[in-house]
Amino acid sequence: MEDFWNMICDDSACSSLGGKPFCFDFGVLKDPSSCISHLLIIFLDMLLLIVFTFVIIQKCFLRPIQAQNRVEKYSKLQLVSAITSGCLGLLHLCFGIWILNEKIRKNLTVFPLCLWLLELLWGFTWMLVGLSTSVLPKHLSRTWLRLFSIMIFFVSGVLCGFSLSYAFGSKELSLKVALDVLSFLGAFLLLFSTYKACKYEDTDEEIHGSLYSQVHDDDLINRISVTPFGSAGFFSRMSFWWLNPLMKAGQDKILQDEDIPKLREADRAEVCYSLFIDQLNRQKQKDLSSPSSVLWIIILCHRREILISGFFAFLKVLTLSSCPVILNAFILVAEGNKRFKYEGYLLAISLLFTKILESLSQRQWHFRSRLIGMKVRSLITAGIYKKQLRLSDATRLVHSSGEIMNYVNVDAYRIGEFPFWFHQTWTTVLQLCIALVILFRAIGLATIASLVVIVLSVILNTPLAKLQHKFLSKLLLAQDERLKACSEALMNVKVLKLYAWENHFKNVIESLRIVELKWLSSVLLQKAYSVILFWFSPILVSTATFVACYLINIPLHANNVFTFIATLCLVQDPISTIGDVVGAIIQAKVSFSRVLIFLEAPELNTTVFRKRCYDEKLKGSILIKSADFSWEDSLLKATITNINLNVNVGQKIAICGEVGSGKSTLLAAILGEVPNTKGKIKVYGKFAYVSQTAWIQKGTIQENILFGSPLDAKRYQESLRRSSLMKDLELFPYGDLTEIGERGVNLSGGQKQRIQLARALYQNADVYLLDDPFSAVDAHTAKILFHEYILEGLARKTVLLVTHQVDYLPAFDSILLMLDGKIQQAGTYNDLLTFSQEFKDFVNAHKKTVGSCQLADVTSSRIHSKSNKEMKQHFTKKNLNDIIGDEFIKEEEREKGDTGMKSYLQYLNQKRGYIYFFVSSFSHFMFMICQILQNSWMASSVDNPQVSTLKLITIYLLIGITSIIFVIMRSLFAAALGFQSSENLFRQLISSLFSASMSFYDTTPLGRILSRVSSDLSIVDLDIAFNFTYYVASIMNHYANILVLSSVAWQVLLLCIPMAYVTIRLQRHYNACAKELMRMNGTTKSSVANHVAETYVGAMTVRAFEEEARFVNKNLDLIDVNASASFHSFASNEWLIQRLEVIYAIVLASAALCIAMLPSGTFTSGFIGMVLSYGLLLNTSIVYSTQYQCILANYIVSVERINQYTHIQSDNQEVMEGNHPPLNWPNAGKVEIKDLKIQYKPNGPFVLHGITCTFEGGNKIGIVGRTGSGKSTLVAALFRLVEPTRGKVLVDGIDISSIGLHDLRSSFGIIPQDPTLFIGTIRYNLDPLSQHSDQQIWEVLRKCQLQEVVEDKGGLDSSVVENGTNWSIGQRQLFSLGRALLRKSRILVLDEATASIDNATDLILQNTIKSEFNGCTVITVAHKIPTVMDCNMILSISDGKLVEYDEPLKLMKREKSLFGNLVREYWSHFQFAESH
């Protein structure tokens, strides 16, 4: 050490200290010639030069070279400053060279280095930094300019002050003093010049912006809206300075979505996914034989970021591991073994810089790992979405919408968490290895005992990890099943309410949840066992090591004992997180395998099919030759067979046939949706497709019609006119800009279908595939649509129309009659009528349904009595936007500002949650006390000769065993807290959802609900409880560390008070911003889920219009919005932790400095060792407490979101105790409606205006009216889906509002407008409550004409897939009839039940209802007039008002009768169709 010092400093420099060899007296700082002064300036100069060099390299190589638009101009001040800097640099260089030359000349050596090295470095600093700062201000950011000029000014000022102080004291003036004074003046000039240059640059940018604004406007907007992280420099990134503007904005106001900057381009989902696909293709080209590992591809895509984060992780391990070495040196100093006078001070400063470097490296490691995880999550989500757009129908049976939602919400999230834990695996191993080396130096061969126990701990954890993997896999499978049931039930909640099946389906979901909870309890207990093992292992390691020391006679002293304990404490946290690491890896592995199975599932090849068949010359033609198509992609199970079809350009083809004959499948086959198993198919041109079940997106009417195409005003107006939408748009408050709810809930069935037709027409396609679009509209509208849309609008287009309406068939060029999956007959209307008996039967069935001579007689004489203008006046208002409010779908609710402890208390207030939490927290408190007692015992007795080694170790072991009891209690009670809270929250959520009113479902997108029962509930299940206890434990540890530290260095408390104030301010600053970011993360995640769910339903339409690319782009944008909130959320975590770590590094260094200043012998070395070992944990404890606080604050948002949906406005009571109707109610079926008024919102307009009428028991009542007149609202009122505002409904004398909803709805029968089947079997769909025998069910199937088809498919146990897509819509409607027959209610409601079935099936249904419900009250809402012609009474509604109520014949004879007009319109439409 002495030799090394002499190389730097000579004795003459320390003459004032009496010639002592080591000149560490800080009192000589005022002497500019002292070694300490020289070393300080050399250190600052080198730091300045290194930072400057790094910045210049970054500017040169990491930034694109931009062309200079203007000639650089310099002010006179800049030129003077540059010349001054250059001259000063030369002076210092010359002075340094002269000193060096003198050294060599006199002493023949360059040593000592101090003075000449100082002058050379100072000269280089002035030449490089000073000159560059003066003349290159445009090439450096403003931050760096100011930083460099301030640093030079600071160093020059310090040096000048020292020199002047020395000169006045010694009354001597040297060349060195003169140079220091000149340097200070030059530094002042440089600082002033920099300030003026920055100000000039601001003005210049304003002028330049005004001159070049037209050219650079877009670039400027993009630059402003992108996160500052993209353009941040090295210092800004390392200190998270770039986040300050957002943190300040969060302090000033509540952040909104528009306040969050966009991600930089490299982090966006599109770039990440493209990079992944490019890398995948590259790997496939390298090795065509073996399949590429998706995991390996992801690693290759992010290898650079992984390596950089790995470097920071390595640096963190090194800095952390150096702390016990410093501690050992400190104990030696405390024992009086100093190597030089101020070694204690130097060690304190070293500790400060080591902890700051540790903080910088760890923060960058965590931040960059999270960033990688975010990018991986984005590309996985993008991949899942893109895959679902290409799923074959067979694959959709395996992967339901609920499962896909789970892949997006849960699995992608778990995979995204994995990169954060990845480096933890090898850093823990490295840290253990370094710890073993340190331990070996401290305790020698006893280290082997430590190693053995650590290895045993890892071996014991292996079976636990395998069990956790098994239990977690089972849990996720159970979660999938529960989500599938939730998704199906919530999607069809209206049907459940109409049938009074809510409780049954809720019970089914709860039973699935019980299975899920069984596996959840196993996962939580396994997690608890892992935590117990890894908290137990450090105590076991220390005890085993001390016993080994005793056995092999290694003496225990304060320095080796507390070096050992400090090392063990530092590796205890990494060891204790092994359980979390293993859990995260297992979760990621399970999720990755699930996602991989989905991504490798079979796809449709529609894109390839179209590219192969596309030919410009034959646009609009179709050729199918001897082709078989199978939904199951099987030669043995063809859905439609032997299809031969040749459609020429411009032909109009009608496809008809009975229910389930394969009509819709034929259209799907032409679209390429059904795999072609035999024969050939060629299609030419662009498709437009209108599905049988309307698919409407959330958005405006205009957006739904344009469907991604640019607006052509003329074509758009034409599409609206030909789709009969003009009148409807006039009635909406914002016309075509009116917002439509999810699934078009604020539109009638007819409006939805006409919007679909307008969308198809606007696309100006070559081939139009229309799947029964007229079934949802009334006869008059159907007539207009057929004439203006089909015959005129599509006059030169190829049209294939599936229809049950025989009226239009004569107008088609060719008709295909389908039967049992085959084209039975093909030809013109007249040819088929002449030669095909099946077609004759089909037409005759229609004529029977059209009706009697009385219809013809009444209408024939007055068929033209109404002008077209008069008919159009009957269009009625359907303005639910006014009813529900201007904004039908409301913005997702989220908490605002600081909600304090509200959400935490909500979580704990679940079934003894407070007790579990208190016991868990108290157990950790006792564990912490035991640890302090254990270490205090060791500190006080280790060097006490009166205490034997055996006694020392025995008492240490007993205290350790006591502490383990508390660890076990803490972990088990944390698991119990997680289980009970999760169970209770789910029960509240599901009860609230199933009792919610229909208005909630009408205004809430399904994705919002599903995100709560999937991702939010998954976080509540697995994450919150343990993180809650970890957070409380880390807070206790932190304050315990401060108390132990202050017990020796009480002066630290004086520093802790201002530091605590700064900490609180920082946390408030952080919380204001971070909480909103976390909430935005939740709401934007719901937007992604909504889009995924919406696209899943409409995937066929999206593919038909070839809009996949647009939908993928929209999904990528939504992913980026969510990722941006997530990115700034975890960046803000690191921002806070880094600042807190620096604060507590200062506290630790101050404590160490205080201890160094204590007189020798004040405290024993054992106590000093213990205190500093706790002090070393200060940073770790503040990191963990802040980290767990951030994680918990993020997770608790899930509790907030779940709690929002546990307080939904509910329906009235299911059952009213003491007010049940009689057992045989209703027995007569008499319905009395008295002054019934209904409004959907308290301040909204009335939808029904005082309807009063009586339906006599046993009568058949027909309810008619135009689209949106209020027919369905009246039906909803009968079932109390909407409660009366005024008036009442009596059934057999009982007010339906006075009885429970379940009693009411289970007593009525209904065949709803939209037929719904649930996943399961035919038996389950007809009789989910298991109230009927198989014989009764078969009898009902026979009556519904479904017996044969059910037998062919495997009987009552034949499967029904999601949404019943393996059965036609007509068959689904007949199953709905079957449900009504099984229930045998005295009151049956048919809500446009025959809209989607052919005339023959309609006739069967009507005859079945007549025979089976003879003597019952049948209320029929219908568009088809013949359906209500045999009713006893007709109720006509217009604008929510009762227009007329009388017998059909009387109404038809009445002047200006609405029903009469509807009958004449229908008959007119029938004769019009036949004339064509």
Side-chain angles (χ1 to χ4, degrees), residues 1064-1084:
I1064 291 167
R1065 292 286 298 176
L1066 280 171
Q1067 286 186 325
R1068 283 183 179 172
H1069 207 65
Y1070 160 81
N1071 287 332
C1073 184
K1075 285 209 171 189
E1076 297 308 318
L1077 288 169
M1078 292 166 194
R1079 288 164 185 155
M1080 284 180 205
N1081 186 25
T1083 53
T1084 53

Side-chain angles (χ1 to χ4, degrees), residues 196 255 688 754 1086 1327 1331:
K196 296 296 284 184
L255 292 177
R754 281 178 281 139
S1086 293
D1327 183 26
Q1331 295 174 331

Side-chain angles (χ1 to χ4, degrees), residues 585-602:
I585 291 170
I586 289 169
Q587 287 177 358
K589 184 176 182 295
V590 171
S591 293
F592 196 79
S593 61
R594 284 155 48 82
V595 170
L596 205 57
I597 289 168
F598 174 71
L599 293 177
E600 291 173 350

Side-chain angles (χ1 to χ4, degrees), residues 32-50:
S33 64
S34 69
C35 298
I36 292 294
S37 178
H38 292 172
L39 284 173
L40 179 64
I41 303 302
I42 287 171
F43 173 77
L44 292 171
D45 282 349
M46 288 184 71
L47 180 65
L48 198 57
L49 286 170
I50 289 167

Side-chain angles (χ1 to χ4, degrees), residues 730-767:
E730 289 174 13
L731 303 174
F732 284 124
Y734 302 110
D736 60 348
L737 298 179
T738 299
E739 184 82 11
I740 300 175
E742 192 179 43
R743 305 184 302 280
V745 293
N746 50 332
L747 298 173
S748 70
Q751 287 169 331
K752 286 189 274 189
Q753 201 62 274
R754 281 178 281 139
I755 287 173
Q756 278 208 127
L757 287 166
R759 175 203 294 159
L761 184 60
Y762 186 79
Q763 300 307 311
N764 193 28
D766 306 304
V767 179

